[in-house]
């Protein structure tokens, strides 16, 4: 998680001051160049003349700079240099930020989330002038603060689910994001912590969806309330809640069919499930790998159904954590868990502390 930022920070801090270095030519590369350079004999007169003109245009200094591999000065070292030479102006900051902006964009971070990080850093750093060591600390602390300010700390989940009985959690999202698997993982996590659960097979639409949830229920040794295919998912949710009340089960986990947020009728069905089951927690399940698409999903589900929090799955497939930042920023709701694989244990409770640890800040 956040490996891209961790790597970036590592490379920043490890980067030496960035005067263009003179390329050291090894004997081998010199030899290679000599081999590939056409011999004067095989060159035409015109070619020899052009080469001479170029040679005279290049002073010894410019020759070295042109051929040297110039290391790109990072956001971090640019800022350190500017902070330590004079007060950091807004223009200097903007220029330095471009580098971080590209890193964030390349890692699926939405423009809105980048803007939030930028304004947070800007507030802390513009106008500052300090010593080198202090500057390094200040930039890292400011970056840490910027990231943390985007993320919401989720409530302690195991405590939260005891605030009502039964505590009803509804899972929704588009097709194939990992809703059913996440329900099984959450059921496993809760039962491991001595909290009883019942599953509701509210996806009555996709072929084999009921058997899929039932299979998990059997493996985890928890009850599963089912209906028939095409049955009203709201009534299955209702039955599961009644079952929980009758059997003193603490948490009801309701599965729903994957639905495209653009399909009005399916979103209407979702509203009905919510109206009937009155969930205590509505969790949006999105893939952490889908970037901007996941954002659109989160935005629309939030507008239609209201999101209390998210589970971001498949974090094991991609290190790009931009989606995490973006969804947290757009929904302004906590991320509860990250799905990190296909096993029941592959569920990582998400906290700000884990982010800091992963960032190595
Ligand atoms: N690598 C990885 N795979 C996952 C994760 N979560 C779910 N999957 C896989 O994603 C696929 C889809 O998972 P489901 O749980 O069936 O997804 P769904 O959202 O319920 O799908 P529909 O009911 O068809 O909308 C399965 O192959 C899961 O094993 C995860 O965190 N990491
Ligand atoms: Mg499913």
């Amino acid at each position: 998680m956040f490996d891209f930022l961790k790597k970036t920070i590592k490379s920043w801090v490890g980067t030496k001051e960035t005067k263009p270095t003179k390329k050291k030519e090894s004997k081998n590369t010199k030899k290679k160049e000599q081999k590939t350079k056409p011999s004067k004999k095989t060159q035409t007169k015109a070619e020899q003349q052009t080469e001479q003109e170029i040679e005279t245009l290049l002073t010894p200094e410019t020759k070295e700079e042109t051929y040297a591999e110039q290391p790109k000065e990072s956001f971090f070292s640019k800022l350190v240099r500017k902070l330590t030479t004079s007060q950091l102006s807004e223009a200097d900051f903007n220029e330095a930020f471009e580098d971080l902006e590209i890193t964030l964009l390349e890692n699926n971070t939405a423009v809105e989330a980048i803007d939030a990080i930028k304004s947070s850093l800007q507030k802390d750093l513009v106008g500052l002038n300090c010593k080198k060591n202090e500057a390094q600390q200040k930039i890292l602390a400011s970056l840490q603060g910027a990231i943390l300010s985007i993320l919401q700390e989720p409530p302690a989940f195991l405590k939260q689910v005891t605030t009502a009985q039964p505590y009803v959690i509804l899972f929704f999202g588009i097709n194939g994001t990992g809703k059913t698997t996440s329900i099984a993982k959450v059921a496993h996590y809760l039962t491991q912590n001595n909290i009883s659960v019942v599953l509701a097979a509210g996806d009555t639409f996709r072929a084999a969806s009921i058997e899929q949830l039932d299979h998990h229920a059997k493996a985890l040794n928890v009850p599963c309330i089912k209906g028939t295919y095409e049955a009203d998912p709201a009534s299955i949710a209702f039955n599961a809640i009644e079952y929980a009340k009758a059997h003193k089960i603490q948490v009801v986990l309701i599965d729903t069919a994957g639905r495209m947020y653009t399909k009005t009728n399916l979103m209407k069905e979702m509203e009905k499930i919510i109206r009937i089951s009155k969930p205590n927690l509505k969790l949006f399940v999105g893939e952490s790998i889908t970037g901007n698409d996941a954002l659109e999903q989160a935005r629309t589900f939030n507008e239609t159904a209201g999101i209390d929090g998210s589970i971001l799955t498949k974090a094991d497939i991609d290190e790009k954590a931009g989606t995490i930042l973006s969804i947290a920023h757009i929904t302004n709701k906590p991320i509860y868990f990250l799905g990190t694989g296909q096993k029941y244990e592959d569920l990582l409770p998400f906290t700000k502390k884990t982010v800091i640890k992963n960032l190595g800040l």
Side-chain angles (χ1 to χ4, degrees):
M1 188 187 25
F2 287 107
D3 273 12
F4 77 99
L5 268 178
K6 194 175 173 180
K7 275 181 202 155
T8 309
I9 291 165
K10 257 191 180 170
S11 73
W12 287 346
V13 183
T15 306
K16 296 205 184 92
E17 293 308 315
T18 52
K19 281 180 198 150
T21 53
K22 290 176 185 172
K23 189 182 174 187
K24 277 189 190 165
E25 285 176 309
S26 72
K27 279 181 188 169
N28 282 346
T29 50
K30 264 190 182 169
K31 265 184 201 165
K32 260 189 209 161
E33 274 173 21
Q34 276 163 5
K35 267 186 197 166
T36 49
K37 219 176 175 181
S39 75
K40 298 264 179 207
K41 272 183 200 165
T42 57
Q43 278 178 312
T44 64
K45 250 196 168 170
E47 279 171 340
Q48 281 179 23
Q49 203 176 339
T50 322
E51 197 178 274
Q52 260 176 8
E53 275 167 15
I54 294 169
E55 286 286 328
T56 41
L57 277 171
L58 292 171
T59 62
E61 260 176 25
T62 52
K63 242 195 259 178
E64 263 175 349
E65 278 185 16
T66 311
Y67 294 124
E69 281 166 27
Q70 296 201 23
K72 208 174 148 288
E73 191 179 17
S74 75
F75 161 74
F76 188 78
S77 43
K78 250 186 231 164
L79 272 185
V80 171
R81 177 166 58 75
K82 292 191 167 159
L83 275 170
T84 48
T85 47
S86 63
Q87 261 196 352
L88 184 75
S89 73
E90 196 168 330
D92 283 342
F93 172 82
N94 286 340
E95 198 214 321
F97 187 78
E98 273 174 24
D99 180 55
L100 179 61
E101 188 167 24
I102 290 167
T103 306
L104 291 165
L105 277 173
E106 282 172 351
N107 286 280
N108 288 344
T109 317
V111 175
E112 293 103 312
I114 296 177
D115 285 347
I117 293 174
K118 185 176 181 180
S119 59
S120 175
L121 285 170
Q122 205 166 17
K123 214 168 72 206
D124 287 352
L125 302 175
V126 170
L128 218 67
N129 178 207
C130 49
K131 292 203 182 87
K132 192 175 167 194
N133 275 353
E134 252 183 339
Q136 294 187 343
Q137 281 303 99
K138 286 217 156 90
I139 298 165
L140 289 178
S142 173
L143 182 63
Q144 174 176 323
I147 289 165
L148 291 187
S149 70
I150 286 185
L151 302 168
Q152 307 284 323
E153 184 75 13
F157 184 68
L158 295 174
K159 241 194 195 158
Q160 188 181 4
V161 297
T162 60
T163 53
Q165 186 156 344
Y167 191 89
V168 179
I169 310 180
L170 182 70
F171 295 71
F172 53 78
I174 72 152
N175 313 66
T177 54
K179 295 176 292 300
T180 308
T181 311
S182 297
I183 286 176
K185 289 176 181 178
V186 171
H188 174 72
Y189 179 62
L190 290 173
T191 51
Q192 289 293 99
N193 285 282
N194 301 319
I195 294 171
S196 54
V197 303
V198 55
L199 311 186
D203 179 358
T204 56
F205 180 72
R206 183 175 61 73
S209 62
I210 299 174
E211 288 77 7
Q212 184 191 3
L213 192 73
D214 199 36
H215 172 80
H216 286 305
K218 287 199 171 90
L220 294 165
N221 200 22
V222 297
C224 179
I225 305 305
K226 297 165 279 191
T228 53
Y229 284 98
E230 303 296 324
D232 183 358
S235 74
I236 292 158
F238 181 82
N239 290 344
I241 295 165
E242 290 300 301
Y243 182 92
K245 284 179 187 163
H247 294 81
K248 297 198 170 24
I249 289 175
Q250 290 165 284
V251 181
V252 182
L253 304 174
I254 306 173
D255 195 12
T256 61
R259 63 200 70 223
M260 279 310 289
Y261 47 98
T262 44
K263 293 262 161 65
T264 327
N265 56 333
L266 289 179
M267 292 311 269
K268 281 239 148 64
E269 184 193 74
M270 188 81 213
E271 284 169 24
K272 186 177 175 193
I273 304 173
I274 293 171
R275 207 170 53 246
I276 303 287
S277 65
K278 297 184 186 63
N280 302 89
L281 189 66
K282 289 172 285 181
L283 290 180
F284 165 74
V285 182
E287 287 177 345
S288 58
I289 48 180
T290 35
N292 281 332
D293 202 32
L295 284 195
E296 254 340 277
Q297 296 163 24
R299 206 196 300 269
T300 321
F301 272 105
N302 200 21
E303 281 163 10
T304 323
I307 293 177
D308 298 314
S310 306
I311 295 185
L312 294 179
T313 61
K314 311 186 188 182
D316 51 308
I317 297 175
D318 201 330
E319 292 175 350
K320 295 179 181 174
T323 313
I324 299 174
L325 289 177
S326 309
I327 289 194
H329 179 67
I330 273 165
T331 61
N332 201 22
K333 294 283 155 50
I335 290 162
Y336 276 78
F337 296 101
L338 290 183
T340 57
Q342 290 175 294
K343 293 197 281 308
Y344 292 135
E345 307 83 56
D346 295 332
L347 186 74
L348 183 73
F350 188 86
T351 63
K352 288 190 176 194
K353 235 188 203 168
T354 38
V355 175
I356 296 298
K357 215 171 128 200
N358 274 279
L359 276 174
L361 286 171

